[in-house]
C-alpha cells in the first residue's frame, strides 16, 4: 500500500504516520518529493483500515499496490497454470482445440459431429444443452436430454466434454455430466453462478463478457478462485464494439494482456467473435500466433440446417483443412498442435 501525504503535511505528521506503521508491523519506505511525501508500506493492509491510518492528520490517500485479482493475477503465482482434463492438458506446450456444434440437436447430429471433430484432431467436444437465445421463440436447447447425448458422445469417443450452465439451479445437474463447465459471455458477472460453479471443483471455461474489461473478467475468475477452484480457462470470444461487419470484435490483444497479468490459460473462440464461417480460419490463426493456449470452434455436419449459429459453423471438411493449417501456425510460435 502507498500512503500519500498531503502537500502541506508537516514533518511531524509524516514521522507519526511512519512510526504508527512500524508499530503495526509494516516495513516502510518513505519517498520525499518536492511537493509530496509518499510512504510505501509493506505488511497486512487490513490493519491500515482497522487502525484508521487514513484518518491520521496529514494523510491524503491510500493506494493499493497489488492488483485486485490476487488469485487470478501473477503477483502471487508466476508459473503458468496447466489444467488436466482426462488426458488433455490445457495451458501446456500443446494447443488444445475444442470443437462441436453450437447446440446439441439430436443424437445422430451430435455423435456424428463428435467423431468428425475427433478425427480432425479436436481434443475436447463442445455443445450447448441449455441455449437461452436472444429471442424467446428460438430453439432453447434439449436441456438434460442434450447432456445425456453429450455424455454418450464422451463415452463413444473418449473425449472430454464442455457445456454451458446458465442457471444456478442446474449447476449440479450439468456438473454431473460434464468435464468442464462453461460460463457464457452473458453470465460472466452472474456472481452467484460463478461461485456455485467454482464450488463444484470442476474446471471452468470462463468466457469474457460482451462488454467486459479485462480487469472485470479477471475479477470474475477471482470469484471462482475464491471458492478454492484454480482450474479456470479464460476464453476471449469477441467484444461489442462500434463495428457491425462482424458479430463481435475479436480482441486479440487480450491474449497478450492476459499472458502479462495472469497465470491462467486463455483460449480464443473464433466462431462467436467473427460470426461467420468465413472468418474462423483467420481468427484462429491470429489467436494461436498471439499466444493463445487453444481454440473453441463451432462445427456442424450441416450448417445450413443448424438450429443455432449455422452461419458461423464450419463444415467437417473446412474444419479438417483448418486443423492441418493450424499445426503450422502452432509450430511457428514454438507450440504443438497434435492431430
Ligand atoms: C456458446 O459458446 O455456445 C455461446 C453461447 O457463447 P457466448 O457465451 O460466448 O456467446
Ligand atoms: Mn453458438
Amino acid at each position: 500500500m502507498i500512503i500519500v501525504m498531503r502537500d502541506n503535511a508537516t514533518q511531524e505528521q509524516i514521522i507519526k504516520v511512519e512510526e504508527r506503521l512500524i508499530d503495526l508491523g509494516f516495513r516502510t519506505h518513505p519517498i520525499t518529493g518536492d511537493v509530496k511525501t509518499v510512504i510505501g508500506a509493506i505488511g497486512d493492509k487490513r490493519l491500515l483500515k482497522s487502525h484508521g491510518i487514513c484518518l491520521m492528520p496529514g494523510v491524503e490517500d491510500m493506494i493499493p499496490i497489488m492488483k485486485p485479482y490476487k488469485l487470478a493475477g501473477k503477483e502471487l503465482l508466476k508459473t503458468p497454470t496447466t489444467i488436466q482434463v482426462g488426458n488433455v492438458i490445457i495451458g501446456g506446450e500443446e494447443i488444445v482445440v475444442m470443437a462441436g456444434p453450437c447446440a446439441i440437436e439430436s443424437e445422430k447430429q451430435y455423435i456424428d459431429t463428435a467423431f468428425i471433430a475427433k478425427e480432425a484432431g479436436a481434443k475436447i467436444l463442445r455443445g450447448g444443452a441449455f441455449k437461452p437465445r436472444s429471442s424467446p421463440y428460438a430453439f432453447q436447447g434439449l436441456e438434460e436430454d442434450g447432456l445425456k447425448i453429450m455424455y454418450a458422445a464422451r463415452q463413444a469417443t473418449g473425449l472430454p466434454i464442455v457445456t454451458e450452465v446458465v442457471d444456478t439451479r442446474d449447476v449440479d445437474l450439468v456438473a454431473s455430466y460434464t468435464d468442464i463447465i462453461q460460463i457464457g459471455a452473458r453470465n460472466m458477472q452472474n456472481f452467484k453462478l460463478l461461485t456455485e460453479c467454482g464450488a463444484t471443483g470442476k474446471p471452468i471455461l470462463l468466457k469474457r463478457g460482451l462488454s467486459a474489461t479485462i480487469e472485470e473478467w479477471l475479477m470474475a475468475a477471482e470469484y471462482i478462485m475464491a471458492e478454492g477452484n484454480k482450474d479456470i480457462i479464460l476464453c476471449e470470444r469477441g467484444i461489442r464494439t462500434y463495428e457491425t461487419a462482424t458479430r463481435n470484435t475479436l480482441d486479440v490483444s487480450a491474449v497478450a494482456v492476459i499472458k502479462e497479468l495472469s497465470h491462467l490459460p486463455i483460449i480464443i473462440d473464433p466462431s462467436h467473435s467473427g460470426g461467420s464461417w468465413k472468418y474462423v480460419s483467420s481468427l484462429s490463426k491470429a489467436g494461436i500466433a498471439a499466444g493463445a493456449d487453444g481454440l473453441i470452434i463451432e462445427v456442424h455436419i450441416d450448417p445450413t440446417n443448424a438450429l443455432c449459429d449455422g452461419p458461423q459453423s464450419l463444415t467437417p471438411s473446412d474444419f479438417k483443412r483448418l486443423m492441418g493449417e493450424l499445426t503450422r501456425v502452432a509450430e511457428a510460435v514454438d507450440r504443438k498442435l497434435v492431430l
Side-chain angles (χ1 to χ4, degrees):
M1 197 64 106
I2 293 175
I3 318 296
V4 183
M5 302 301 294
R6 290 184 192 285
D7 291 359
N8 59 359
T10 64
Q11 196 53 31
E12 199 192 343
Q13 287 172 336
I14 295 168
I15 289 169
K16 278 219 166 108
V17 171
E18 200 181 352
E19 282 176 353
R20 185 91 178 102
L21 290 167
I22 292 167
D23 279 353
L24 291 171
F26 283 85
R27 281 185 287 135
T28 57
H29 300 272
I31 302 162
T32 310
D34 289 342
V35 184
K36 266 192 189 311
T37 293
V38 299
I39 306 171
I42 300 166
D44 182 353
K45 77 168 192 207
R46 285 169 302 184
L47 294 174
L48 297 175
K49 285 217 174 89
S50 58
H51 287 77
I53 298 291
C54 55
L55 303 175
M56 288 183 76
V59 174
E60 181 177 285
D61 202 3
M62 295 200 300
I63 302 169
I65 306 172
M66 289 258 311
K67 299 272 196 290
Y69 37 86
K70 296 188 185 354
L71 301 171
K74 264 193 178 159
E75 281 160 331
L76 298 177
L77 180 64
K78 300 250 178 296
T79 48
T81 288
T82 54
I83 297 166
Q84 176 139 15
V85 188
N87 298 324
V88 184
I89 293 176
I90 301 152
E93 190 194 0
E94 238 181 82
I95 304 287
V96 174
V97 176
M98 312 179 184
C102 181
I104 301 130
E105 298 169 14
S106 70
E107 182 152 357
K108 176 156 174 44
Q109 169 252 11
Y110 195 75
I111 306 271
D112 286 358
T113 314
F115 277 105
I116 286 162
K118 180 179 180 175
E119 168 90 351
K123 297 289 183 288
I124 296 179
L125 299 175
R126 67 146 287 145
F130 292 90
K131 298 279 347 157
R133 312 277 297 286
S134 302
S135 162
Y137 310 115
F139 172 65
Q140 301 283 310
L142 297 183
E143 306 193 342
E144 189 170 2
D145 287 343
L147 295 174
K148 288 186 177 145
I149 294 171
M150 268 196 111
Y151 195 80
R154 175 189 192 271
Q155 301 309 93
T157 59
L159 298 185
I161 54 177
V162 55
T163 194
E164 182 175 352
V165 63
V166 295
D167 190 318
T168 49
R169 289 168 295 188
D170 297 321
V171 169
D172 289 340
L173 176 77
V174 173
S176 72
Y177 286 98
T178 195
D179 298 284
I180 303 174
I181 300 177
Q182 178 171 327
I183 296 180
R186 288 156 196 81
N187 273 311
M188 188 206 81
Q189 282 188 319
N190 181 340
F191 298 118
K192 192 91 179 81
L193 188 66
L194 296 173
T195 305
E196 294 207 5
C197 288
T200 64
K202 291 262 173 181
I204 309 289
L205 190 147
L206 178 62
K207 289 202 155 191
R208 181 180 182 180
L210 275 77
S211 302
T213 64
I214 289 175
E215 179 161 319
E216 286 162 344
W217 189 15
L218 287 173
M219 288 309 288
E222 195 76 11
Y223 264 86
I224 298 167
M225 296 185 87
E227 293 302 306
N229 188 336
K230 297 190 229 18
D231 291 342
I232 300 168
I233 306 150
L234 298 169
C235 177
E236 160 62 41
R237 47 77 73 206
I239 49 175
R240 182 64 67 90
T241 68
Y242 55 82
E243 184 54 73
T244 54
T246 47
R247 182 173 177 182
N248 293 287
T249 299
L250 177 69
D251 180 9
V252 84
S253 63
V255 177
V257 175
I258 288 292
K259 289 288 172 196
E260 173 83 12
L261 298 179
S262 177
H263 52 85
L264 295 171
I266 175 169
I267 67 167
I268 289 287
D269 178 340
S271 311
H272 291 87
S273 3
S276 166
W277 63 272
K278 289 181 190 151
Y279 307 134
V280 170
S281 164
S282 300
L283 301 182
S284 300
K285 290 170 187 166
I288 295 179
D293 299 294
L295 301 167
I296 183 163
I297 302 179
E298 286 185 341
V299 180
H300 198 282
I301 37 166
D302 180 14
T304 37
N305 288 306
L307 295 182
C308 182
D309 284 349
Q312 67 194 34
S313 300
L314 292 188
T315 59
S317 58
D318 282 348
F319 179 60
K320 196 166 164 34
R321 183 172 336 109
L322 174 62
M323 290 294 276
E325 291 170 9
L326 293 179
T327 58
R328 287 182 274 132
V329 182
E331 238 170 68
V333 291
D334 295 328
R335 303 288 288 266
K336 269 198 311 203
L337 198 163
V338 182
L339 298 184

